[in-house]
Amino acid sequence: MDNHVDRIEVGWDDTKEKATARLTLLNNTKAAWEGYGAGLENIAVEFEKAEEEIKKVKKRFNLQAAVEDLEKRQKIYGDTKKTIDNMYGSIQHDYDVMTMTLPEDKKDFVKKEVKAVTDKLEVMGRFQEKVEKIAQMRSKTMNAIKYYHDVVVEEENSGSWIDHIMYL
């Protein structure tokens, strides 16, 4: 009799562990679906913000304003990239959790949504390209100013030397 009771207890414990694991998986899947839905909406908003920031990147001819604007754009780019990368990572994680319980025919639909988000990541590439282009322009401008300054100083120094030679 004790042998039968022990087998029932072991079977009960085993069933309870499996049910708890399944419940945990289902709760995680539910949370992943909720996070996935919110993540898609939030990342779309961030992509729109990045598009707007790309439009704001312009050449500035006032050097001081250009330096300040460049620093501002670099900070905005860094913050936006970090936010979008974190959101994208979260969406990928949610997708991985969701697909554990998702039937094959539904996986393709969700995979297409994730691919659309992946394709939209090119916005960050364009944003980076614009900021780098402005940084290069600033660098070239600073080099030109330095060169001009060096030429002027050299001219001033050579001018007094030429005057000295002429009066000898």
Side-chain angles (χ1 to χ4, degrees):
M1 182 77 153
D2 288 334
N3 190 17
H4 290 296
V5 170
D6 289 340
R7 284 190 324 187
I8 291 172
E9 285 178 354
V10 168
W12 179 261
D13 290 341
D14 186 41
T15 303
K16 182 180 176 185
E17 286 177 23
K18 289 179 182 178
T20 302
R22 181 71 178 165
L23 179 61
T24 302
L25 176 64
L26 290 173
N27 283 332
N28 290 344
T29 302
K30 178 186 172 205
W33 274 103
E34 291 168 350
Y36 177 77
L40 287 179
E41 291 174 12
N42 293 339
I43 203 164
V45 169
E46 290 299 319
F47 283 138
E48 288 175 20
K49 286 180 186 177
E51 288 282 359
E52 289 301 315
E53 287 301 325
I54 289 172
K55 292 175 186 173
K56 292 178 184 177
V57 176
K58 294 185 171 116
K59 293 180 181 177
R60 306 267 188 224
F61 295 103
N62 177 338
L63 193 58
Q64 184 59 34
V67 170
E68 292 169 0
D69 187 63
L70 176 62
E71 290 171 358
K72 178 181 171 186
R73 299 292 164 217
Q74 287 173 329
K75 182 181 180 336
I76 290 171
Y77 168 75
D79 293 346
T80 303
K81 180 168 176 41
K82 182 179 176 187
T83 300
I84 287 179
D85 286 349
N86 288 340
M87 287 180 166
Y88 183 72
S90 179
I91 288 172
Q92 282 293 109
H93 172 73
D94 291 342
Y95 169 77
D96 292 341
V97 171
M98 291 174 353
T99 55
M100 286 187 227
T101 59
L102 206 58
E104 287 301 318
D105 60 329
K106 302 291 183 193
K107 285 181 184 179
D108 290 337
F109 176 74
V110 177
K111 186 182 253 183
K112 287 178 185 175
E113 286 183 330
V114 172
K115 184 178 180 336
V117 171
T118 303
D119 292 344
K120 192 71 174 162
L121 288 174
E122 61 83 27
V123 168
M124 292 311 298
R126 285 189 292 127
F127 195 177
Q128 179 181 12
E129 193 177 287
K130 286 271 195 176
V131 171
E132 286 176 354
K133 187 182 253 185
I134 296 297
Q136 288 172 354
M137 188 184 95
R138 178 189 171 266
S139 177
K140 288 178 181 177
T141 303
M142 294 302 289
N143 289 340
I145 289 171
K146 184 181 180 313
Y147 177 76
Y148 175 75
H149 181 265
D150 291 347
V151 167
V152 168
V153 168
E154 187 66 31
E155 184 180 303
E156 288 173 357
N157 290 341
S158 66
S160 64
W161 178 250
I162 290 174
D163 289 344
H164 177 69
I165 292 175
M166 288 178 65
Y167 293 113
L168 287 176

